[in-house]
């Protein structure tokens, strides 16, 4: 092997070294790309969990709003009945004297 290297000379050493560095940097690039993809998929999983939590919170809030609307309509109906009863009592009290 050393005789082969002696025959190709200094330019050959530089070429082999450049190719070696090129492969090394390519390996580093691939490694960092894979690492970045792993981080991105982890962030996407975390985001999905946050979205699911927000959906659950929104559904709970919507349920509470619906319950409040039902309570409001029931209260308005009762207030309407109370007004009608008060009007009837006022009419009765005017008729009594």
């Amino acid at each position: 092997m050393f005789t082969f290297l002696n025959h190709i000379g200094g330019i050959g050493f530089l070429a082999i070294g450049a190719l070696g560095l090129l492969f090394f940097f390519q390996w580093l690039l691939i490694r960092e790309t894979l690492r970045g993809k792993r981080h991105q998929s982890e962030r996407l999983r975390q985001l999905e969990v946050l979205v699911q939590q927000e959906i659950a919170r929104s559904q709970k809030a919507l349920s509470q709003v619906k319950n409040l609307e039902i309570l409001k309509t029931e209260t308005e109906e009762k207030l309407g009945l109370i007004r009608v009863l008060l009007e009837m009592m006022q009419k009765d009290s005017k008729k009594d004297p």
Side-chain angles (χ1 to χ4, degrees):
M1 178 169 170
F2 289 116
T3 57
F4 172 72
L5 292 177
N6 284 334
H7 288 295
I8 59 174
I11 295 176
F13 283 123
L14 289 176
I16 291 174
L19 286 175
L21 282 174
L22 181 67
F23 287 129
F24 175 72
F25 287 134
Q26 188 68 27
W27 175 77
L28 285 177
L29 179 65
I30 291 170
R31 188 181 74 169
E32 288 302 314
T33 303
L34 292 176
R35 189 177 290 169
K37 285 183 180 182
R38 273 189 250 123
H39 287 300
Q40 183 179 10
S41 64
E42 181 62 31
R43 279 185 256 130
L44 286 174
R45 275 188 245 119
Q46 291 173 353
L47 182 61
E48 184 178 352
V49 167
L50 288 175
V51 167
Q52 293 299 329
Q53 289 174 348
E54 183 61 25
I55 288 171
R57 187 196 64 78
S58 297
Q59 287 174 344
K60 185 177 178 183
L62 181 64
S63 171
Q64 290 174 345
V65 167
K66 286 181 182 180
N67 289 341
L68 286 175
E69 288 177 357
I70 292 170
L71 184 62
K72 178 184 173 188
T73 55
E74 290 175 353
T75 304
E76 287 175 353
E77 288 174 1
K78 290 177 183 177
L79 283 174
L81 288 173
I82 291 173
R83 285 187 193 114
V84 169
L85 289 173
L86 282 174
E87 289 174 3
M88 291 175 59
M89 287 174 63
Q90 287 175 352
K91 288 180 183 177
D92 284 345
S93 67
K94 288 181 184 176
K95 288 182 183 178
D96 284 340

